Amino acid sequence: MEKPNKKKVLLFYCEEAQELAHKVAAQSDLIQLQSISWRSFDDGFPNLYINNAQDIRGHHVAFLASFSKPEVIFEQLSVIYALPRLFVASFTLVLPFFPTGSFERMEEEGDVATAFTMARLLSNTPVARGGPTSLVVYDIHALQERFYFGDQVLPCFETGIPLLKQRLQELPGADKIVIAFPDDGAWKRFHKLLDHYPTVICTKVREGDKRIVRVKEGNPSGYHVVIVDDLVQSGGTLIECQKVLKAHGAAKVSAYVTHAVFPKNSFERFTHKNDGSEVEFSHFWITDSCPRTVSAIKDRAPFEVLSLAGSISDALQI
């Protein structure tokens, strides 16, 4: 089947995602960056202005968002709700990291499902002239969250795993790599994308008041083991996995996460020290879905950023 002609896209972006937006635009001459004046009134509420609003009529428009903290969500939602109403041909919202995705569990009466709340807010994005908003999200935390969105948006779920696969092929000793999953949830999300590698599955078991990481299946002995998960917060699980894999004979251990959240600078636990202490992780690959973290870990081993720019550029043509 013949593919449709590629479209020109006008890409707006939040302040935090400026660097990523420029990388996306550099991928294609069909992507043209646009600007928004991100101002505030004296009381702290947003005073926003979409520049050249008249000129975007009839064009395909996209917005690159970053919901890094609750206080920026309101101003970005205001823009997200406004852009489709400016008589644009179509509207695409790129939200690389869906931030409330790890808080979807309702374990007892009174728990608030913030992931569902966020999905409802995004589902109320106005319909553009060309139809519902396209919502591009990478490696959403729980698979059931794709069903949280209403019919006014069309979720497009992408993954950063191809970036990892390409990077692993570039490593020396690429034939001695094993993929480890920290739990069954990570295995369910990613194993089909990495099924040409041997795998190790870890699990958490309760011993008294503690939860201990164990190797559930697979053999890491003698291999370069790469732990794969969708996101990292404090990093405690990754560290415990690394210890167990080393104890089972792993030659070295690296990690990949699509979303490096690292609240309270918890990435410091992973940085290579120059004091002669043992290096815990040989490589730690992340994407630029969380721009604040990318800025904080710049040029700090063992971190390496695999940019989503090319993938986002391709997604804007869907």
Side-chain angles (χ1 to χ4, degrees):
M1 182 180 296
E2 185 178 349
K3 291 185 178 181
N5 293 329
K6 290 194 172 184
K7 60 186 180 183
K8 180 180 178 181
V9 179
L10 304 182
L11 178 61
F12 292 87
Y13 53 91
C14 67
E15 290 181 297
E16 195 172 285
Q18 179 175 339
E19 182 176 347
L20 178 54
H22 279 268
K23 289 181 179 179
V24 172
Q27 299 292 316
S28 172
D29 293 336
L30 295 171
I31 299 174
Q32 181 180 335
L33 293 180
Q34 303 292 304
S35 64
I36 294 170
S37 296
W38 299 93
R39 305 167 301 190
S40 297
F41 291 108
D42 291 339
D43 60 2
F45 274 81
N47 176 17
L48 309 172
Y49 185 78
I50 299 170
N51 297 307
N52 303 316
Q54 293 280 347
D55 297 334
I56 71 174
R57 290 183 174 185
H59 289 276
H60 299 287
V61 170
F63 179 73
L64 178 58
S66 178
F67 291 175
S68 59
K69 50 187 179 179
E71 52 263 39
V72 304
I73 294 176
F74 177 68
E75 65 179 14
Q76 290 183 52
L77 278 177
S78 299
V79 170
I80 290 165
Y81 284 6
L83 285 170
R85 298 172 65 90
L86 294 174
F87 295 94
V88 301
S90 70
F91 180 60
T92 300
L93 170 60
V94 182
L95 180 62
F97 175 44
F98 187 72
T100 60
S102 57
F103 302 101
E104 83 290 347
R105 297 180 183 88
M106 296 287 290
E107 296 181 350
E108 60 179 324
E109 194 68 30
D111 284 340
V112 177
T114 52
F116 183 62
T117 302
M118 180 63 70
R120 291 172 70 182
L121 288 170
L122 295 176
S123 296
N124 280 293
T125 303
V127 176
R129 290 180 65 191
T133 292
S134 299
L135 170 63
V136 179
V137 177
Y138 283 81
D139 291 322
I140 199 163
H141 182 68
L143 297 179
Q144 71 267 22
E145 289 167 7
R146 67 185 59 206
F147 303 110
Y148 290 0
F149 297 94
D151 292 340
Q152 275 190 230
V153 296
L154 300 174
C156 178
F157 295 102
E158 299 290 333
T159 179
I161 293 297
L163 299 174
L164 171 65
K165 291 167 68 174
Q166 180 180 343
R167 185 67 184 91
L168 293 182
Q169 290 168 4
E170 297 168 353
L171 294 178
D175 58 336
K176 292 290 288 182
I177 290 174
V178 162
I179 300 297
F181 301 106
D183 51 39
D184 288 327
W187 178 83
K188 290 177 182 177
R189 279 190 291 272
F190 297 125
H191 78 97
K192 290 184 179 178
L193 299 172
L194 295 161
D195 59 3
H196 56 293
Y197 287 102
T199 59
V200 170
I201 303 175
C202 296
T203 187
K204 290 180 181 178
V205 297
R206 187 172 294 280
E207 287 189 0
D209 295 332
K210 295 182 179 180
R211 290 176 66 86
I212 309 296
V213 175
R214 297 270 179 82
V215 172
K216 179 181 177 181
E217 60 181 81
N219 180 19
S221 181
Y223 286 92
H224 177 189
V225 182
V226 180
I227 306 170
V228 174
D229 207 351
D230 62 321
L231 62 85
V232 59
Q233 296 269 3
S234 68
T237 297
L238 291 178
I239 290 173
E240 292 305 311
C241 284
Q242 186 273 342
K243 292 177 181 178
V244 170
L245 292 166
K246 276 285 193 178
H248 280 73
K252 55 183 177 178
V253 179
S254 297
Y256 164 86
V257 296
T258 303
H259 310 299
V261 185
F262 285 133
K264 300 180 180 179
N265 292 335
S266 52
F267 61 84
E268 296 280 3
R269 307 174 71 179
F270 298 91
T271 54
H272 287 178
K273 308 298 190 296
N274 294 320
D275 56 4
S277 59
E278 182 183 0
V279 173
E280 300 291 350
F281 285 82
S282 298
H283 304 273
F284 200 129
W285 295 288
I286 66 173
T287 76
D288 43 7
S289 67
C290 299
R292 286 176 175 267
T293 300
V294 171
S295 298
I297 59 91
K298 189 174 183 180
D299 299 326
R300 300 185 69 172
F303 293 104
E304 180 182 345
V305 179
L306 309 178
S307 182
L308 294 171
S311 180
I312 293 172
S313 175
D314 292 341
L316 293 178
Q317 291 297 326
I318 297 174

